[in-house]
Amino acid sequence: MSYVDDVIASVSAKNANEPEFIQAVEEVLESLRPVVEQDDRYEKAAILERMCEPERIVSFRVPWVDDEGKVQVNRGFRAQFNSAIGPYKGGIRLHPTVNQSIIKFLGFEQTFKNSLTGLPIGGGKGGSDFNPKGKSDGEIMRFCQSFMTELYRYIGGDTDCPAGDIGCGAKEIGYMFGFYKRIIGRYDNGALSGKGIPYGGSLGRTEATGHGAVYFTEKLFESLGRTIKGTTFALSGFGNVTWGVADMINKLGGKVVTVSGPDGYVYDPDGISGEKVDYLVEMRSSLRDRCEDYADKYGCEFHKGEKPWGRVKADIYMPCATQNEIALEDAERMVAEGTCRVLVEVANMPTRAEAVKCLKDAGFVIAPSKAVNAGGVAVSALEMSQNAMKLSWTEKEVDDRLKNIMYNIFNNIDAAAREYGMEGDLIAGANIAGFKKVADAMLAQGIF
Ligand code: NDP
Ligand code: 2IT
């Protein structure tokens, strides 16, 4: 057995109850075969084994009192995965499906993503199985305060800087920051990012993930001899990220024809633009979690219980909702439909391993999420820099930096794939480029 096979076997055995984590590890390690086979320093220093084991992961009780006076108990997590190139950095996910496997897969992916940004940030992720849906503001605040009562021990501007993710936006970060400040008795605004603008947030952070994903796509298109202008996109989700993607596609002259929710997808062949994009924000903040509201309001087709993959004519598919939203049957439908040959992943790990294989075999260009969605965490890191320097950049200054970071990510992953003889394989390129910086830092820092 090779070094990579050995590590995959031992990680799978050790984490047998964590399917999402194993899926993420397998994908990354497969890509790294040529790198670790050419250089035995990585095996000698057990770099892969160490990268697959979080530096630490904490799990804690989060008790809070609901509006009826009943005590509720949730489970909180923070995985501090890798600090070789900077303090841990990564979002907080608040969703009923959150468990240790999800937090570990996200923290593992985050380590490579953060490395790709070129900024000094390590990898981490946190969250809770708390469901914000249907909760009052008071309940959300009490949950966030209880969550922070435990989390504060582990975070700080130079230690670990959490931010938002699914179910955790500016409102939740505000409640968490307020309570963190109260507990520690200091204004350490580098300890959380995604903050509101009046108290240290960065202009452009809300839209950074979506806008960054489209900047990346611009560069990818340039390499394929295409332009966003005149291209039709099918998106999923209707959260913060979907909104940012739709906004920038429209600005660059493309057309968005689908968005989706857990209840089904909307097909709007006239294009989701202008006030219709703003309506996505309204739908999300209503916490109703119904995409059908869009179809009711704008009188277009709604496909209950279905996903858009392979069911609509679009040039590019961009999944923006959650992990594993493209299964093998969806991929087979996409291949059979025949119009689209490009998948740009925006949500973290949206495509199942079997679906990735099916699409690759059919000649799809696949842009991996850890590269495409890195603009969110990159602007989070810019927020940390602004906080440290006690200044604020203008929207244009942030946007120029974001664009530059996303273009560089495309160029670097494209070059890494070529260097190892896998031209055009952007999944391998992202894993290799992300790996090398972290691994080389670990080699330099000794065994710990
Ligand atoms: P939001 O909470 O704003 O939106 C995501 C929503 O998508 C969830 O609430 C979920 O609804 C819904 N959803 C779940 N499953 C499906 C499905 N099968 N079809 C359609 N919708 C579904 O989260 P974000 O927009 O912030 O995040 C979206 C993705 O982008 C996630 O993968 C996240 O990790 C990733 N990301 C986010 C970044 C950020 O800065 N926010 C940065 C980088 C990546 P329900 O609750 O009913 O399941
Ligand atoms: O998945 C992600 O990169 C995020 N949720 C953003 C993390 C961050 O620290 O801004």
Side-chain angles (χ1 to χ4, degrees):
M1 285 233 285
S2 72
Y3 176 40
V4 164
D5 292 322
D6 277 347
V7 179
I8 290 179
S10 82
V11 171
S12 303
K14 271 195 200 166
N15 303 283
N17 296 326
E18 299 182 349
E20 291 85 1
F21 177 53
I22 293 173
Q23 181 182 336
V25 166
E26 279 180 350
E27 186 218 88
V28 170
L29 266 50
E30 283 298 337
S31 301
L32 297 178
R33 278 184 199 280
V35 184
V36 299
E37 275 163 16
Q38 277 175 31
D39 188 339
D40 67 358
R41 290 177 309 155
Y42 298 122
E43 182 172 357
K44 280 195 182 132
I47 292 290
L48 296 183
E49 294 89 325
R50 285 196 276 149
M51 279 181 133
C52 293
E53 189 67 36
E55 288 177 21
R56 73 188 59 73
I57 175 161
V58 289
S59 157
F60 47 91
R61 183 207 300 156
V62 190
W64 55 280
V65 181
D66 71 17
D67 287 347
E68 271 69 58
K70 190 167 177 295
V71 180
Q72 303 283 346
V73 182
N74 286 104
R75 183 174 289 174
F77 295 97
R78 186 74 185 164
Q80 298 185 325
F81 233 97
N82 195 303
S83 63
I85 62 168
Y88 312 105
K89 177 92 200 80
I92 292 175
R93 179 173 290 193
L94 302 180
H95 196 270
T97 55
V98 164
N99 57 31
Q100 183 163 299
S101 174
I102 303 235
I103 295 299
K104 278 173 66 178
F105 113 68
L106 289 164
F108 179 75
E109 289 283 285
Q110 196 82 43
T111 302
F112 296 86
K113 179 195 307 190
N114 292 2
S115 164
L116 289 174
T117 65
L119 301 167
I121 39 179
K125 197 82 186 190
S128 172
D129 58 1
F130 173 76
N131 185 359
K133 227 170 292 164
K135 303 290 189 298
S136 69
D137 268 3
E139 290 175 323
I140 291 176
M141 182 179 76
R142 290 193 291 280
F143 165 82
C144 289
Q145 294 182 337
S146 179
F147 185 77
M148 189 48 83
T149 305
E150 187 63 29
L151 189 70
Y152 89 94
R153 300 164 199 282
Y154 311 105
I155 66 173
D158 296 320
T159 324
D160 183 354
C161 175
D165 191 77
I166 291 179
C168 183
K171 177 166 80 180
E172 292 74 16
I173 293 291
Y175 292 146
M176 287 184 197
F177 178 69
F179 214 62
Y180 174 72
K181 180 164 62 68
R182 185 173 188 206
I183 296 173
I184 67 160
R186 258 184 313 117
Y187 204 88
D188 175 14
N189 60 2
L192 283 162
S193 68
K195 300 180 294 294
I197 304 299
Y199 60 96
S202 175
L203 290 167
R205 173 62 186 90
T206 313
E207 52 274 56
T209 309
H211 285 188
V214 181
Y215 294 150
F216 179 97
T217 307
E218 247 190 316
K219 203 75 193 159
L220 165 69
F221 270 27
E222 203 180 291
S223 77
L224 301 172
R226 311 174 61 148
T227 57
I228 297 214
K229 198 174 162 65
T231 296
T232 302
F233 294 77
L235 314 185
S236 63
F238 63 87
N240 165 46
V241 171
T242 308
W243 165 77
V245 170
D247 179 55
M248 187 48 72
I249 288 173
N250 282 305
K251 283 191 174 121
L252 298 180
K255 189 188 210 185
V256 176
V257 292
T258 66
V259 290
S260 74
D263 54 335
Y265 79 91
V266 156
Y267 179 57
D268 187 347
D270 294 338
I272 299 168
S273 61
E275 64 145 331
K276 294 172 174 176
V277 177
D278 299 336
Y279 186 62
L280 301 182
V281 183
E282 227 178 292
M283 268 162 53
R284 181 101 230 102
S285 54
S286 77
L287 295 182
R288 281 158 57 82
D289 221 25
R290 266 182 103 245
C291 199
E292 196 169 1
D293 287 355
Y294 180 102
D296 293 345
K297 188 169 166 73
Y298 296 108
C300 58
E301 285 175 31
F302 181 72
H303 297 264
K304 210 178 180 64
E306 290 187 342
K307 299 173 188 174
W309 321 127
R311 292 197 167 95
V312 299
K313 274 208 183 319
D315 303 307
I316 313 290
Y317 290 126
M318 287 179 94
C320 303
T322 193
Q323 68 274 355
N324 288 331
E325 50 172 312
I326 302 183
L328 179 59
E329 68 203 56
D330 302 308
E332 285 169 348
R333 216 183 309 107
M334 285 155 71
V335 172
E337 197 282 325
T339 311
C340 167
R341 282 291 172 269
V342 184
L343 172 69
V344 175
E345 296 186 334
V346 190
N348 285 306
M349 203 170 77
T351 322
R352 286 193 179 274
E354 322 79 74
V356 171
K357 183 174 183 316
C358 166
L359 296 173
K360 260 187 165 175
D361 290 348
F364 268 64
V365 173
I366 305 178
S369 52
K370 61 171 72 68
V372 176
N373 72 28
V377 74
V379 173
S380 272
L382 299 182
E383 181 175 328
M384 293 168 78
S385 303
Q386 293 171 75
N387 294 157
M389 293 187 286
K390 300 190 189 307
L391 52 76
S392 306
W393 290 322
T394 63
E395 205 159 339
K396 176 156 188 330
E397 285 172 312
V398 174
D399 187 55
D400 287 346
R401 285 179 167 87
L402 171 64
K403 206 176 274 180
N404 200 24
I405 289 168
M406 298 315 298
Y407 289 174
N408 282 337
I409 292 177
F410 176 79
N411 290 336
N412 291 341
I413 71 174
D414 189 43
R418 280 173 212 275
E419 186 185 338
Y420 287 90
M422 292 183 279
E423 189 173 338
D425 186 343
L426 299 176
I427 297 178
N431 290 331
I432 292 169
F435 169 78
K436 280 182 103 177
K437 184 174 170 192
V438 177
D440 291 346
M442 289 173 76
L443 284 175
Q445 291 171 20
I447 310 296
F448 65 90

